[in-house]
Coordinates of all heavy atoms in Angstrom, one line a residue:
H283 N 0.9 -1.2 0.0 CA 0.0 0.0 0.0 C 0.9 1.2 0.0 O 2.0 1.2 0.5 CB -0.9 0.0 1.2 CG -2.0 -1.1 1.1 ND1 -2.8 -1.4 2.2 CD2 -2.3 -1.9 0.2 CE1 -3.6 -2.3 1.8 NE2 -3.4 -2.7 0.6
T284 N 0.4 2.3 -0.6 CA 1.3 3.4 -0.8 C 0.5 4.7 -0.9 O -0.6 4.7 -1.3 CB 2.1 3.2 -2.1 OG1 3.1 4.3 -2.3 CG2 1.3 3.1 -3.3
T285 N 1.2 5.8 -0.7 CA 0.7 7.1 -1.1 C 1.2 7.4 -2.5 O 2.1 6.8 -3.0 CB 1.3 8.2 -0.1 OG1 2.7 8.1 -0.1 CG2 0.8 8.1 1.3
P286 N 0.5 8.3 -3.2 CA 0.8 8.5 -4.6 C 2.3 8.8 -4.9 O 2.8 8.4 -6.0 CB -0.1 9.8 -5.0 CG -1.2 9.7 -4.1 CD -0.7 9.1 -2.8
S287 N 3.0 9.5 -4.0 CA 4.4 9.8 -4.3 C 5.4 8.7 -4.0 O 6.6 8.8 -4.4 CB 4.8 11.1 -3.5 OG 4.7 10.8 -2.1
K288 N 5.0 7.7 -3.3 CA 5.9 6.7 -2.9 C 5.9 5.4 -3.7 O 6.7 4.4 -3.4 CB 5.7 6.3 -1.4 CG 5.8 7.5 -0.4 CD 7.3 7.8 -0.1 CE 7.4 9.0 0.8 NZ 7.0 8.7 2.2
W289 N 5.0 5.2 -4.6 CA 4.8 3.9 -5.3 C 6.1 3.5 -6.0 O 6.5 2.3 -5.9 CB 3.7 4.0 -6.3 CG 4.0 4.8 -7.6 CD1 3.9 6.1 -7.8 CD2 4.6 4.3 -8.7 NE1 4.3 6.5 -9.0 CE2 4.8 5.3 -9.6 CE3 5.1 3.0 -9.1 CZ2 5.4 5.2 -10.9 CZ3 5.6 2.8 -10.4 CH2 5.8 3.9 -11.2
H290 N 6.8 4.4 -6.7 CA 7.9 4.0 -7.5 C 9.1 3.4 -6.6 O 9.6 2.3 -7.0 CB 8.5 5.1 -8.3 CG 9.6 4.8 -9.3 ND1 10.9 4.6 -8.9 CD2 9.6 4.4 -10.6 CE1 11.6 4.3 -9.9 NE2 10.9 4.1 -10.9
E291 N 9.4 4.0 -5.5 CA 10.5 3.6 -4.7 C 10.2 2.2 -4.1 O 11.1 1.4 -3.9 CB 10.9 4.6 -3.7 CG 9.8 4.9 -2.7 CD 10.1 6.1 -1.8 OE1 10.6 7.1 -2.3 OE2 9.9 6.0 -0.5
K292 N 8.9 1.9 -3.8 CA 8.6 0.7 -3.2 C 8.6 -0.5 -4.2 O 9.2 -1.5 -4.0 CB 7.2 0.7 -2.6 CG 7.1 1.7 -1.4 CD 5.8 1.6 -0.7 CE 5.8 2.5 0.5 NZ 4.6 2.3 1.4
V293 N 8.0 -0.3 -5.4 CA 8.1 -1.3 -6.5 C 9.5 -1.6 -6.9 O 10.0 -2.7 -7.0 CB 7.3 -0.9 -7.7 CG1 7.5 -1.8 -8.9 CG2 5.8 -0.8 -7.3
D294 N 10.3 -0.5 -7.0 CA 11.7 -0.6 -7.4 C 12.5 -1.4 -6.4 O 13.3 -2.3 -6.8 CB 12.3 0.8 -7.6 CG 13.6 0.8 -8.2 OD1 13.8 0.3 -9.3 OD2 14.6 1.4 -7.6
A295 N 12.3 -1.2 -5.1 CA 13.0 -1.9 -4.1 C 12.7 -3.4 -4.1 O 13.6 -4.3 -4.1 CB 12.7 -1.3 -2.7
A296 N 11.4 -3.7 -4.3 CA 11.0 -5.1 -4.3 C 11.4 -5.8 -5.5 O 11.9 -7.0 -5.4 CB 9.4 -5.2 -4.2
Y297 N 11.3 -5.2 -6.7 CA 11.7 -5.8 -7.9 C 13.2 -6.1 -8.0 O 13.7 -7.2 -8.3 CB 11.3 -4.9 -9.1 CG 11.5 -5.6 -10.4 CD1 10.7 -6.6 -10.9 CD2 12.6 -5.1 -11.3 CE1 10.9 -7.2 -12.1 CE2 12.8 -5.7 -12.5 CZ 12.0 -6.8 -12.9 OH 12.2 -7.4 -14.2
K298 N 14.0 -5.1 -7.5 CA 15.5 -5.2 -7.6 C 15.9 -6.2 -6.5 O 17.0 -6.8 -6.7 CB 16.1 -3.9 -7.4 CG 16.0 -3.0 -8.6 CD 16.7 -1.6 -8.5 CE 16.6 -0.9 -9.8 NZ 17.0 0.5 -9.6
A299 N 15.1 -6.5 -5.5 CA 15.5 -7.5 -4.5 C 15.0 -8.9 -4.9 O 15.2 -9.9 -4.2 CB 14.9 -7.1 -3.2
G300 N 14.4 -9.0 -6.1 CA 14.1 -10.4 -6.6 C 12.6 -10.7 -6.6 O 12.2 -11.8 -7.0
C301 N 11.7 -9.9 -6.1 CA 10.3 -10.2 -6.0 C 9.7 -10.1 -7.4 O 10.0 -9.2 -8.2 CB 9.5 -9.2 -5.1 SG 7.8 -9.6 -5.0
R302 N 8.9 -11.2 -7.8 CA 8.3 -11.2 -9.1 C 6.8 -11.4 -9.1 O 6.2 -11.8 -10.1 CB 9.0 -12.3 -10.0 CG 10.5 -12.1 -10.3 CD 10.7 -10.9 -11.2 NE 12.0 -10.6 -11.5 CZ 12.8 -9.8 -10.8 NH1 12.3 -9.1 -9.7 NH2 14.1 -9.5 -11.2
R303 N 6.2 -11.2 -8.0 CA 4.8 -11.3 -7.8 C 4.3 -10.0 -7.1 O 4.7 -9.7 -6.0 CB 4.4 -12.5 -7.0 CG 2.9 -12.7 -6.7 CD 2.6 -13.9 -5.7 NE 1.2 -14.0 -5.4 CZ 0.4 -14.8 -6.1 NH1 0.8 -15.6 -7.0 NH2 -0.9 -14.8 -5.8
F304 N 3.4 -9.3 -7.8 CA 3.0 -8.0 -7.3 C 1.5 -7.8 -7.4 O 0.9 -8.1 -8.4 CB 3.6 -6.8 -8.2 CG 5.1 -6.7 -7.9 CD1 6.1 -7.5 -8.6 CD2 5.6 -5.7 -7.1 CE1 7.4 -7.3 -8.4 CE2 6.9 -5.5 -6.8 CZ 7.8 -6.3 -7.5
D305 N 0.9 -7.4 -6.3 CA -0.5 -7.1 -6.2 C -0.7 -5.6 -6.5 O 0.0 -4.8 -6.0 CB -1.1 -7.4 -4.8 CG -1.2 -8.9 -4.5 OD1 -0.6 -9.7 -5.3 OD2 -1.8 -9.3 -3.5
G306 N -1.8 -5.4 -7.2 CA -2.2 -4.0 -7.4 C -3.6 -3.8 -7.7 O -4.4 -4.8 -7.8
A307 N -4.1 -2.5 -7.8 CA -5.4 -2.2 -8.2 C -5.4 -1.0 -9.1 O -4.6 0.0 -8.8 CB -6.3 -2.0 -7.0
I308 N -6.2 -1.0 -10.1 CA -6.2 0.2 -11.0 C -6.4 1.5 -10.3 O -7.3 1.5 -9.4 CB -7.3 0.0 -12.1 CG1 -6.8 -1.1 -13.1 CG2 -7.6 1.3 -12.8 CD1 -7.8 -1.5 -14.1
Q309 N -5.6 2.5 -10.6 CA -5.6 3.8 -9.9 C -5.4 3.7 -8.4 O -5.6 4.7 -7.7 CB -6.9 4.5 -10.2 CG -6.9 5.2 -11.6 CD -7.5 6.6 -11.6 OE1 -8.3 7.0 -10.8 NE2 -7.0 7.4 -12.6
G310 N -5.0 2.6 -7.9 CA -4.7 2.5 -6.5 C -6.0 2.5 -5.6 O -5.9 2.7 -4.4
F311 N -7.1 2.2 -6.2 CA -8.4 2.2 -5.5 C -8.3 1.2 -4.3 O -7.7 0.2 -4.5 CB -9.5 1.9 -6.4 CG -9.9 2.9 -7.4 CD1 -9.9 2.7 -8.7 CD2 -10.1 4.2 -7.0 CE1 -10.2 3.6 -9.7 CE2 -10.4 5.2 -7.9 CZ -10.5 4.9 -9.3
G312 N -9.0 1.5 -3.2 CA -9.0 0.6 -2.1 C -7.8 0.8 -1.2 O -7.3 1.8 -1.0
G313 N -7.5 -0.3 -0.6 CA -6.4 -0.3 0.5 C -7.1 -0.6 1.8 O -8.3 -0.8 1.9
C314 N -6.3 -0.6 2.8 CA -6.9 -1.0 4.1 C -7.7 0.1 4.7 O -7.1 1.2 4.9 CB -5.7 -1.4 5.1 SG -6.3 -1.9 6.7
P315 N -8.9 -0.1 5.1 CA -9.7 0.9 5.7 C -9.2 1.4 7.0 O -9.6 2.5 7.5 CB -11.1 0.3 5.9 CG -10.9 -1.2 5.8 CD -9.7 -1.4 4.9
M316 N -8.2 0.6 7.6 CA -7.7 1.1 8.9 C -6.4 2.0 8.7 O -5.9 2.4 9.7 CB -7.3 -0.2 9.7 CG -8.5 -0.9 10.2 SD -8.1 -2.4 11.1 CE -9.7 -3.2 11.0
A317 N -6.0 2.2 7.5 CA -4.9 3.1 7.3 C -5.4 4.5 7.6 O -6.5 4.9 7.2 CB -4.5 3.1 5.8
K318 N -4.7 5.2 8.5 CA -5.1 6.5 8.9 C -5.1 7.6 7.8 O -5.8 8.5 7.8 CB -4.3 7.0 10.1 CG -4.5 6.1 11.4 CD -3.9 6.7 12.6 CE -4.2 6.0 13.9 NZ -3.5 4.7 14.0
D319 N -4.1 7.4 6.9 CA -3.9 8.4 5.8 C -4.8 8.0 4.7 O -4.7 7.0 4.0 CB -2.5 8.4 5.4 CG -2.2 9.5 4.4 OD1 -3.1 10.1 3.8 OD2 -1.0 9.7 4.1
E320 N -5.8 8.9 4.3 CA -6.7 8.6 3.3 C -6.1 8.5 1.9 O -6.6 8.0 0.9 CB -7.9 9.6 3.2 CG -7.5 11.0 3.0 CD -8.7 11.9 3.1 OE1 -9.7 11.6 3.8 OE2 -8.7 13.0 2.4
L321 N -4.8 9.0 1.8 CA -4.1 9.0 0.5 C -3.4 7.6 0.3 O -2.9 7.3 -0.7 CB -3.0 10.1 0.4 CG -3.6 11.5 0.3 CD1 -2.4 12.5 0.3 CD2 -4.4 11.7 -1.0
T322 N -3.4 6.8 1.4 CA -2.8 5.5 1.3 C -3.8 4.5 0.7 O -4.8 4.2 1.2 CB -2.4 5.0 2.7 OG1 -1.5 5.9 3.3 CG2 -1.7 3.6 2.6

């Protein structure tokens, strides 16, 4: 889960560390309702 400005650094870190399975949702809709930041 991410805020709009942090998506690239997170994907980049996981991919370069060898992860090849990624979950996502178009336009980042959804996410955990318990996240306090509504941009997450």
Side-chain angles (χ1 to χ4, degrees):
H283 290 172
T284 184
T285 52
S287 63
K288 299 279 181 70
W289 74 270
H290 185 277
E291 61 189 44
K292 293 188 178 192
V293 170
D294 189 54
Y297 186 74
K298 286 179 176 169
C301 182
R302 294 296 179 267
R303 178 187 177 94
F304 288 83
D305 289 11
I308 286 172
Q309 279 224 335
F311 290 125
C314 180
M316 291 178 196
K318 293 192 174 75
D319 184 347
E320 61 184 28
L321 292 176
T322 299

